Amino acid sequence: MGGAFLAAAVLARLGGRIGLPTIPLFILAGILLGPHTPGYTLLSNPHDLEMLSALGLVLLLFYLGLEFHMDDLKTGGRKMAIAGGTYLVLNVGAGLIFGFALGWGTSEALVLAGVLGISSSAIVTKILVDLGRIGNPETRPILGIIVVEDIFLALYLAALQPILSGADSLSAALVDGGKAFGFLLLLALAARFGTKLIGKLMSTKDDELLVISFLGVAVFVAGVSEMFGVADAIGAFMVGLMLGSTSSGDRILKLVHPLRDAFGAIFFFAFGLSIDPGDLPSVLWPVVAAVVLTLAMNIAAGLAAAKVYSFGAQATSNIATTLVARGEFALILATMAAAAGLDERLSPFIAGYVLLLAVLAPLAAGRSHWLARILPGSRKKDDHQDQEQIPVSV
């Protein structure tokens, strides 16, 4: 474990000097020190880190739930829903078509729809912070799209779980789906109406007791969620949603942050351990095709969002390039697919796809002005800005 943490830290430090995000570097550390790569093998069996990896996934989604606020839907909710819905239709729809075109199977196509369709909240947020764009006008719709994706993800994973679990018949699948949605509805009702009671139960001035309490609740509900056919990560997300609205929400957000980072790194590292680099060449062209498709769909989604918010070419380009990153959600789906025994090509495909886009996204976002020059209306916008600047210069 110490070696895993140190390897992830060393590579992340080196990558940070050239502006690379940490997620692909944590995965790379796992690949280099895994059983499928020549040289020193830190862990020969990726399952040795299975429980810690699961905890990392739970904490990632728990943290995301803490950051999500129902109030976000009340202010600008209509525009946010249109922009986010358009993004999902374009990207998830393209991912589903792409999945069927590969011919790997129906379940595999459904997984690929989510892999290609959902952005990485972690990488998107990091890009916005690193580039100093938090206060930009286009940042609000970017975060709005992320919120819509998170809501979709909860429903999507709840629907996907019974399919991947291999229900014996349609009736069995409907029963499994009903149990999953019923439990998800129960959690949603608790988040909506039980906040005050939950807040009183969690309230304490002692940080130690608060940490033990929220960890216990998050992990316990995640485990119960699995029993009802809901992904453990979504159970943790719903707990974060509940606790984030309590009076202790801000303290929990601060206290869980280092835990999320530490065990999240183990989750990505453990995923890297399971990847055989020798399998990557077999999925090279599908990965390249998927990356090109994602870039194209993000530009289309950026243009659609810009039209809703009446943005110019530069803001459009910022939206398109910032949302390109794929990361933790794709790896969640890869883990689910592997557990369900789906096509073995899925894991190396998702790994190559995530690695490539996680590296390309911050580089593209930092050079978004290149794309802005060729977008529709860019020349008109530039001329208008020049005319506005003439009186100031005189």
Side-chain angles (χ1 to χ4, degrees):
M1 265 218 42
F5 277 121
L6 287 173
V10 169
L11 273 181
R13 282 172 175 265
L14 293 175
R17 294 187 176 185
I18 56 175
L20 293 179
T22 55
I23 290 176
L25 296 168
F26 292 154
I27 298 172
L28 182 60
I31 293 174
L32 294 176
L33 295 175
H36 307 295
T37 306
Y40 178 73
T41 299
L42 182 67
L43 281 167
S44 57
N45 186 3
H47 293 292
D48 289 343
L49 291 178
E50 189 170 7
M51 181 58 71
L52 292 172
S53 174
L55 181 58
L57 180 57
V58 164
L59 289 173
L60 280 169
L61 270 292
F62 174 69
Y63 183 85
L64 194 62
L66 287 171
E67 286 197 319
F68 179 85
H69 296 288
M70 290 296 185
D71 292 340
D72 293 337
L73 296 176
K74 297 177 183 177
T75 56
R78 183 174 176 274
K79 287 185 176 180
M80 184 176 72
I82 294 173
T86 302
Y87 187 91
L88 287 172
V89 168
L90 288 171
N91 286 272
V92 175
L96 185 62
I97 294 171
F98 178 81
F100 280 119
L102 284 180
W104 291 354
T106 300
S107 296
E108 288 77 2
L110 292 172
V111 170
L112 287 171
V115 170
L116 270 67
I118 300 174
S119 306
S120 166
S121 299
I123 299 179
V124 168
T125 304
K126 184 173 177 58
I127 289 172
L128 291 171
V129 172
D130 290 349
L131 295 178
R133 294 180 181 170
I134 293 295
N136 284 18
E138 73 274 6
T139 296
R140 186 182 180 91
I142 288 173
L143 295 177
I145 289 172
I146 292 294
V147 168
V148 173
E149 285 184 319
D150 293 342
I151 297 171
F152 169 79
L153 180 72
L155 299 174
Y156 170 73
L157 288 182
L160 190 63
Q161 188 76 12
I163 297 173
L164 297 186
S165 63
D168 296 330
S169 64
L170 178 60
S171 59
L174 291 174
V175 170
D176 290 344
K179 285 168 57 182
F181 277 111
F183 184 72
L184 197 60
L185 180 61
L186 181 64
L187 290 178
L189 290 173
R192 177 66 180 85
F193 299 107
T195 303
K196 289 185 178 179
L197 176 60
I198 295 169
K200 289 180 180 179
L201 293 174
M202 294 295 297
S203 181
T204 175
K205 294 180 179 180
D206 191 318
D207 284 349
E208 179 185 9
L209 292 178
L210 185 58
V211 170
I212 294 171
S213 299
F214 73 68
L215 272 179
V217 173
V219 176
F220 180 77
V221 173
V224 174
S225 296
E226 279 198 322
M227 296 173 60
F228 282 90
V230 177
D232 53 359
I234 294 305
F237 174 83
M238 297 302 294
V239 173
L241 193 64
M242 297 178 209
L243 299 185
S245 301
T246 66
S247 57
S248 303
D250 291 338
R251 286 176 60 210
I252 294 174
L253 190 68
K254 183 178 179 180
L255 291 169
V256 78
H257 198 284
L259 294 171
R260 182 210 68 174
D261 288 345
F263 290 99
I266 293 297
F267 168 71
F268 296 121
F269 181 88
F271 181 76
L273 289 175
S274 65
I275 296 172
D276 186 349
D279 293 336
L280 293 178
S282 66
V283 293
L284 176 62
W285 291 115
V287 166
V288 172
V291 167
V292 172
L293 179 64
T294 300
L295 292 172
M297 289 299 101
N298 271 264
I299 292 173
L303 289 168
K307 187 172 183 179
V308 172
Y309 286 89
S310 302
F311 287 147
Q314 184 58 58
T316 303
S317 181
N318 288 347
I319 294 172
T321 54
T322 302
L323 288 168
V324 160
R326 300 294 187 265
E328 61 274 16
F329 297 142
L331 301 187
I332 291 170
L333 291 170
T335 303
M336 291 174 62
L342 300 188
D343 196 300
E344 293 180 354
R345 290 170 291 185
L346 269 178
S347 287
F349 170 86
I350 293 173
Y353 176 74
V354 168
L355 281 169
L356 193 53
L357 279 182
V359 172
L360 283 177
L363 298 177
R367 294 159 180 79
S368 59
H369 57 281
W370 292 356
L371 175 62
R373 293 173 186 168
I374 61 174
L375 288 177
S378 59
R379 176 58 57 188
K380 181 179 179 181
K381 181 71 176 177
D382 293 340
D383 291 343
H384 178 66
Q385 289 176 342
D386 291 341
Q387 289 172 7
E388 288 183 336
Q389 291 173 359
I390 289 174
V392 178
S393 300
V394 173

